[in-house]
Amino acid sequence: MPPRPSPPLSSLLSALTSLRLTTPRPSPLNHATTTIRTFTTTPTLQGSWLEPNLLRKNKMMKGRPRVPTGGSTKGTTVVWGDYGLRMCDHGRRISAKHFKMAEDTIKARLRGQKYRLYKRKCCNVGVFISGNEMRMGKGKGSFDHWAARVAANQVIFEIRGVLHEQVIRDAFRLAGNKLPGQYEIITKNDPPVVGITKLENGLTLEDLKRPRKKLPAPVVEETSTSATEATSSAPPPS
C-alpha cells in the first residue's frame, strides 16, 4: 500500500488557528498608532496613571506646578463628568499613594452603582530621597515613589453615572479627606478659576489682565494754559 501524502504546512496552521478560543493578537510591528485624547491634564508617558513607563534611575528635579504667565483656566472645570473634586488651596506635589487611597475610597463608597470615574492627573514625577542622618553631598538619593504636580484649583477626579447628588458628594468628601490639602465639589456649570479668582458675574480673563488702579489724568497742560491766559489778560505796564 503506497504511503499517504502529508498535508501541506499551510493547511495545518489554518486548522490549528481555527481551534483557538481567542483571536490571535496582532503583531506590535504592524500595529498602527492612533492618537486618542486622554482624560488627564498631565501626560501619562505610556504607562498607568499611577506609574509611568520611565526609568527610575533618571533623576528629576523637584520643580513646581506649571502655571502659564498671566493665568490660565485649563484643568479647573468639569469636562467629561457631571461632578468633580477640585483642590481649592495652593499647589503642591501629591504622591501616587494618596491618589490610590482616594480612588479606593470612592470605589468602596460607590460599590454596586453604575458610574464612571475619570482621573484628571497622572503621576509623572519621580521623588528621590536620601536616608535619615545622612551627610550632605554624595548625590541626590535613591528613588522613593512617583508623584504629580497639582496646581491651585485643579480638578483631580470627575464622575458620571446614575447616582444621586448626595451620594457623589459623600464619596468625594471621603476622598478629599485622604488627600493633602483642601478640596471642593463642583458641577459642570461652575465657572472656571484663574489662580484664586472665579470668572463669574461677567468677569473675564481679559478683565483681570487690565490694571485695577486708574491712572490720574494729566494736569500739567491745564496749568500751563491757565498761566498763559493770566499773562495775556494782565494790563500792559504803564
Side-chain angles (χ1 to χ4, degrees):
M1 183 176 182
R4 184 176 299 177
S6 60
L9 183 61
S10 59
S11 60
L12 289 176
L13 291 177
S14 60
L16 293 175
T17 306
S18 60
L19 295 177
R20 291 182 180 177
L21 298 178
T22 59
T23 57
R25 296 181 179 180
S27 176
L29 299 177
N30 301 330
H31 181 66
T33 58
T34 57
T35 56
I36 302 174
R37 183 182 179 185
T38 58
F39 300 108
T40 61
T41 54
T42 53
T44 57
L45 300 178
Q46 298 180 0
S48 64
W49 75 290
L50 295 176
E51 184 176 1
N53 190 13
L54 295 176
L55 293 178
R56 298 186 176 184
K57 296 182 180 179
N58 298 338
K59 309 295 182 179
M60 297 184 183
M61 301 182 67
K62 184 176 181 180
R64 294 181 180 142
R66 180 184 177 275
V67 178
T69 304
S72 174
T73 60
K74 181 180 179 181
T76 60
T77 57
V78 178
V79 180
W80 294 280
D82 299 330
Y83 297 88
L85 183 66
R86 181 169 65 186
M87 183 173 61
C88 57
D89 61 347
H90 61 85
R92 57 170 49 85
R93 190 174 59 183
I94 303 179
S95 64
K97 181 180 179 180
H98 287 96
F99 283 130
K100 183 61 177 175
M101 291 172 59
E103 182 190 15
D104 294 343
T105 303
I106 295 175
K107 290 182 178 180
R109 178 61 181 85
L110 304 180
R111 184 178 290 114
Q113 305 290 336
K114 295 182 179 180
Y115 67 95
R116 182 170 183 180
L117 185 65
Y118 300 94
K119 297 95 172 179
R120 296 289 300 273
K121 291 295 178 181
C122 289
C123 298
N124 56 356
V125 179
V127 180
F128 298 82
I129 62 173
S130 300
N132 296 331
E133 300 181 0
M134 295 290 292
R135 294 180 178 270
M136 296 182 65
K138 296 185 180 180
K140 188 178 179 67
S142 58
F143 176 83
D144 187 69
H145 62 273
W146 294 104
R149 301 188 186 105
V150 183
N153 288 290
Q154 292 282 318
V155 178
I156 297 180
F157 292 109
E158 293 184 15
I159 195 169
R160 182 183 63 181
V162 187
L163 298 170
H164 195 271
E165 180 181 358
Q166 296 300 327
V167 177
I168 296 176
R169 291 184 177 274
D170 188 35
F172 278 160
R173 179 186 61 83
L174 297 175
N177 295 337
K178 301 293 184 180
L179 295 171
Q182 299 178 2
Y183 296 86
E184 62 179 351
I185 302 169
I186 61 174
T187 61
K188 207 175 185 64
N189 300 326
D190 286 1
V193 183
V194 178
I196 59 174
T197 305
K198 293 185 178 181
L199 301 182
E200 55 184 356
N201 300 327
L203 184 65
T204 60
L205 184 59
E206 287 73 16
D207 297 338
L208 296 178
K209 295 180 180 179
R210 298 172 185 171
R212 297 184 178 181
K213 184 178 180 181
K214 294 184 179 180
L215 298 177
V219 195
V220 180
E221 297 180 356
E222 296 180 358
T223 56
S224 61
T225 55
S226 61
T228 54
E229 291 177 358
T231 54
S232 61
S233 62
S238 58

